[in-house]
Amino acid sequence: MAIMFRGLEEDNYDRQYTDLQLYRRIGDFFAKYKGQLLAVFGMAFAASVSLSIRPVIIAAGVGAIDQRTEISTISLLVGALLVTVLVEYFGNWVRRRIAARAIGGVVARMRKDAFESAINRDLSFYDTNKSGKVVSRITSDTQEFGTIVLLSSDIISQLASVFVLVAILFSRNAQLTWIVLALSPFIVGGSMVFRHFARITTRNGARALGLVNDNIQESVAGIAIAKNFRQEAAIYDKFNEVNTTSYNVNMVRGLVLSLIFPVLNALAGIAFGVIIYFGARAVLAETVTADTWYLFIQSVDRFWFPFITLSAFISQFQQGLSSAERVFALIDAENTLNQTGENPVNERLHGEIAFKDVAFGYKADEPVLNSFSLNIAPGEDVAFVGHTGAGKSTVAKLISRFYEFQAGDLLIDGQDIRSFDLQAYRQQLGIVSQSPFLFSGTVRDNIRYGRPDASDDEINAIAHSIGDGDWLDTLPNGLDSDVGERGARLSMGQRQLVSLMRVLLQKPSIFILDEATASIDPFTETQIQEALDLILSQSTSILIAHRLSTVRSADRIIVLDHGNIIESGNHDELMAQGGHYAELYNTYFRHQSLSYIENAQAYFSNGHDAPEGVEPEIEPEAGN
């Protein structure tokens, strides 16, 4: 029965919790709502008592009719029956209302804890775990858990009535009551058998839903690329595949569920027949009155109904436990970063960086850096160049403390980077990635992102410090222009400018730039370079360079190859050596420079005015 479908494997941070561990953990979440829970149980008890004594009243009515009791007595019993119905209705209404509020609070807290855990995970976590599955745990699984807990409160109310019924039945006839109790293990045992299989199938169902959510998120996010390459049919086929997997998982789940009711109803029917047989014999032997026998017939059905109902909900209940298990696994996921937080970083860092025999690999068997050593002076601008996979971005990510290195030391201002308070340390970092990410909102909102307390005057000053703010004229509403989802309404160059302004406002001690390779018009290129110069003048800078101007203006150029430093020096020194950098320059940067000059000439010859003080890029040296 433990069928495993492709794509439903555990995530690497999944954990298996026992039922007791889950109950204790869930209990911790509900601890804040003790008062509400007491009220829920009080209302549940009132409703259960009303439900349980109803067969007693009906049996008393049967006895009264049999004995030709006065109509007033019968009317009194009917009135009592009506009261029990009203008490049950009111008790259940109040119980569900209070329970819904308490469960809503628990789900909100659980979702908050799961989201907090997700945003605090290392980047290495998202290298191996798809974001869509994480989203599914935060949204779908928490919601599923809340729904099942609310349904469980109904079952608890029904189970409470069992204890009241047992007390009533023992008071009327102990022998028949023991027969009822002796038959109960068969029904409970049948429920427990199905519980195991239901847990497996519901866990697979949750994973299948996460797989579907991840596929939808990825497809929608990449829809523009899919349309560019005319791959709509391909992404539909991929979705259809995961959706079919989800369908098959739910079919197996449905097969398990379809067996629960028939089997348990059959067991209950057999048990019911046994009670009727022994009760009838007792009535004929005149050891039990007819009304008592009728009471047992009515009560037995109510006695076993909660167990059968519990079995009907057992898959949903197990799904709730599976959902809680997936959420707790996300909350309990551990970071690989070994951060002590001893140093609060209260003062501005000088920006001295030292790698000492650092070893790092994204995977244990695939080293990227091996015994890597490098010293960067405070305020120095260092450009890293090299072919793809040389280790340029890895150096930047280690300085950003996104990944844990496996050996060696990385020092910032002479202190182990692992000793800093991580949040305080990153407040002194300014990072611009190769594909700048903007959040929905205005340009102003995105510039303010790193410093929410910044005033409009500060933002205006930063925006106009670049080319006197001429770049704002290209936006429909200036700083109040809506950037759209992920900055889709801005060009790549404009997104880079906004990202650089965000860093300028932050005034970081260490600046990390992974330059974009996309083509940008000469006007925006000039604005970007001006913003870069302002940042470079006030911080230690790590530049993963793709622009010729950035490479040539760097204080030092580090040439990497397979994680090793093979050349180091400024542009003129490295060109004079005629080594790897000179070859890289002649095959990439020189061609880039010529293309830029041609584009600039075409741009300005078409009627565009060159910004004041802007001169054309220097022609690459002849012979190089």
Side-chain angles (χ1 to χ4, degrees):
M1 185 61 68
I3 300 174
M4 179 59 68
F5 294 90
R6 188 169 64 88
L8 300 185
E9 298 81 7
E10 291 184 354
D11 292 316
N12 58 15
Y13 61 95
D14 268 327
R15 303 183 181 194
Q16 301 297 319
Y17 299 86
T18 65
D19 286 353
L20 182 59
Q21 289 174 323
L22 288 175
Y23 295 146
R24 286 177 176 174
R25 191 72 172 273
I26 293 170
D28 292 339
F29 276 89
F30 278 98
K32 178 182 176 181
Y33 301 94
K34 289 181 180 178
Q36 290 93 323
L37 292 178
L38 287 175
V40 167
F41 286 123
M43 291 296 100
F45 181 76
S48 299
V49 170
S50 299
L51 181 66
S52 301
I53 65 175
R54 200 174 301 158
V56 177
I57 297 174
I58 296 174
V62 171
I65 294 173
D66 185 50
Q67 298 172 10
R68 302 293 191 271
T69 307
E70 295 181 1
I71 191 66
S72 59
T73 302
I74 296 176
S75 299
L76 185 63
L77 291 173
V78 171
L81 194 62
L82 179 61
V83 170
T84 61
V85 171
L86 293 175
V87 170
E88 181 191 1
Y89 172 81
F90 180 76
N92 282 328
W93 179 78
V94 174
R95 172 185 60 79
R96 286 184 66 87
R97 186 175 178 85
I98 298 174
R101 290 185 177 182
I103 293 168
V106 168
V107 169
R109 181 189 161 194
M110 186 180 288
R111 189 170 289 172
K112 182 192 71 173
D113 290 353
F115 182 75
E116 182 181 15
S117 176
I119 62 176
N120 286 324
R121 298 286 70 80
D122 306 334
L123 282 186
S124 58
F125 177 86
Y126 292 98
D127 288 342
T128 54
N129 297 291
K130 293 185 176 182
S131 58
K133 290 185 177 182
V134 174
V135 170
S136 182
R137 295 189 188 224
I138 298 173
T139 56
S140 301
D141 286 321
T142 53
Q143 186 63 40
E144 182 69 27
F145 170 76
T147 302
I148 300 309
V149 172
L150 187 59
L151 289 175
S152 298
S153 69
D154 293 337
I155 304 299
I156 292 173
S157 177
Q158 294 177 8
L159 289 174
S161 66
V162 170
F163 297 100
V164 179
L165 275 174
V166 169
I168 294 173
L169 294 179
F170 263 119
S171 68
R172 301 298 291 267
N173 190 287
Q175 184 179 7
L176 286 179
T177 304
W178 282 116
I179 294 175
V180 172
L181 293 177
L183 293 171
S184 298
F186 294 99
I187 296 177
V188 176
S191 301
M192 297 305 294
V193 170
F194 283 109
R195 171 200 164 280
H196 171 71
F197 297 116
R199 183 68 173 273
I200 295 173
T201 56
T202 53
R203 183 183 293 146
N204 283 343
R207 290 174 184 167
L209 180 61
L211 196 65
V212 171
N213 286 343
D214 178 68
N215 179 269
I216 293 173
Q217 180 179 354
E218 184 179 67
S219 299
V220 172
I223 191 65
I225 302 300
K227 287 184 176 295
N228 287 343
F229 288 93
R230 303 165 304 284
Q231 292 298 308
E232 293 93 337
I235 63 174
Y236 174 80
D237 289 342
K238 186 175 181 181
F239 169 78
N240 193 47
E241 180 182 349
V242 297
N243 195 44
T244 301
T245 298
S246 178
Y247 168 79
N248 291 332
V249 168
N250 285 309
M251 287 297 293
V252 173
R253 177 169 170 258
L255 176 62
V256 174
L257 299 186
S258 66
L259 295 174
I260 294 178
F261 254 133
V263 172
L264 293 179
N265 277 330
L267 291 174
I270 294 172
F272 194 70
V274 172
I275 294 298
I276 292 177
Y277 173 75
F278 283 102
R281 290 192 60 176
V283 170
L284 293 175
E286 297 184 350
T287 58
V288 173
T289 62
D291 59 321
T292 299
W293 181 42
Y294 183 79
L295 171 63
F296 268 85
I297 293 174
Q298 289 287 311
S299 299
V300 164
D301 186 46
R302 296 178 185 275
F303 180 83
W304 280 322
F305 180 75
F307 296 107
I308 296 176
T309 305
L310 179 63
S311 301
F313 283 111
I314 199 166
S315 69
Q316 293 174 293
F317 183 72
Q318 290 300 321
Q319 187 168 341
L321 289 182
S322 296
S323 296
E325 186 176 56
R326 284 165 53 80
V327 175
F328 292 150
L330 176 59
I331 294 174
D332 295 340
E334 297 178 354
N335 281 334
T336 58
L337 290 182
N338 179 23
Q339 206 73 16
T340 63
E342 298 169 357
N343 297 319
V345 199
N346 293 324
E347 299 179 356
R348 180 179 172 85
L349 295 172
H350 298 295
E352 180 185 2
I353 303 171
F355 287 83
K356 294 186 176 181
D357 297 321
V358 170
F360 172 76
Y362 295 100
K363 296 182 179 179
D365 56 344
E366 298 178 10
V368 178
L369 302 178
N370 190 18
S371 297
F372 182 82
S373 297
L374 174 66
N375 291 310
I376 300 174
E380 186 178 12
D381 302 334
V382 179
F384 288 85
V385 299
H387 293 295
T388 301
K392 307 183 295 296
S393 295
T394 298
V395 172
K397 289 175 180 176
L398 291 180
I399 296 173
S400 304
R401 199 66 181 128
F402 289 147
Y403 292 89
E404 180 69 47
F405 47 92
Q406 285 83 44
D409 295 294
L410 175 53
L411 308 179
I412 306 294
D413 287 358
Q415 300 183 65
D416 191 334
I417 195 172
R418 291 168 291 197
S419 68
F420 290 124
D421 176 81
L422 195 56
Q423 294 296 324
Y425 170 67
R426 284 184 178 155
Q427 285 179 354
Q428 303 211 33
L429 297 181
I431 305 172
V432 176
S433 62
Q434 189 174 105
S435 299
F437 187 95
L438 301 185
F439 292 91
S440 297
T442 65
V443 173
R444 189 189 307 275
D445 294 336
N446 277 276
I447 295 176
R448 185 185 273 123
Y449 188 77
R451 272 190 56 203
D453 60 337
S455 66
D456 286 345
D457 290 339
E458 289 180 277
I459 295 174
N460 290 335
I462 290 291
H464 286 85
S465 67
I466 307 300
D468 293 327
D470 290 343
W471 67 283
L472 294 174
D473 295 336
T474 62
L475 301 174
N477 297 309
L479 288 172
D480 295 315
S481 300
D482 189 356
V483 302
E485 185 179 4
R486 301 190 179 190
R489 295 182 181 178
L490 304 185
S491 67
M492 174 59 77
Q494 289 171 327
R495 274 179 268 172
Q496 279 192 290
L497 268 174
V498 173
S499 297
L500 290 170
M501 305 255 172
R502 194 156 54 191
V503 172
L504 266 173
L505 185 65
Q506 186 181 348
K507 298 180 181 178
S509 301
I510 299 174
F511 172 54
I512 299 173
L513 171 70
D514 191 351
E515 283 190 323
T517 56
S519 177
I520 299 172
D521 67 82
F523 174 77
T524 308
E525 174 89 22
T526 302
Q527 306 290 307
I528 291 174
Q529 190 59 49
E530 188 174 346
L532 271 176
D533 291 340
L534 284 174
I535 299 174
L536 297 178
S537 65
Q538 60 189 23
S539 62
T540 302
S541 301
I542 309 299
L543 311 171
I544 302 172
H546 298 288
R547 290 188 180 91
L548 174 64
S549 55
T550 303
V551 175
R552 294 185 61 164
S553 63
D555 299 327
R556 184 162 41 134
I557 301 169
I558 304 294
V559 184
L560 293 177
D561 183 46
H562 293 90
N564 297 309
I565 299 175
I566 56 175
E567 292 177 0
S568 177
N570 60 35
H571 172 76
D572 294 333
E573 292 170 346
L574 294 177
M575 290 300 297
Q577 293 178 17
H580 190 82
Y581 175 78
E583 179 184 352
L584 189 66
Y585 176 85
N586 285 324
T587 57
Y588 175 68
F589 289 114
R590 186 171 184 271
H591 172 75
Q592 181 195 68
S593 177
L594 290 172
S595 297
Y596 174 79
I597 293 172
E598 292 172 358
N599 291 337
Q601 289 173 344
Y603 181 83
F604 295 122
S605 65
N606 287 332
H608 297 91
D609 295 327
E612 185 177 351
V614 174
E615 298 180 0
E617 181 70 62
I618 300 174
E619 183 93 21
E621 296 90 336
N624 289 329

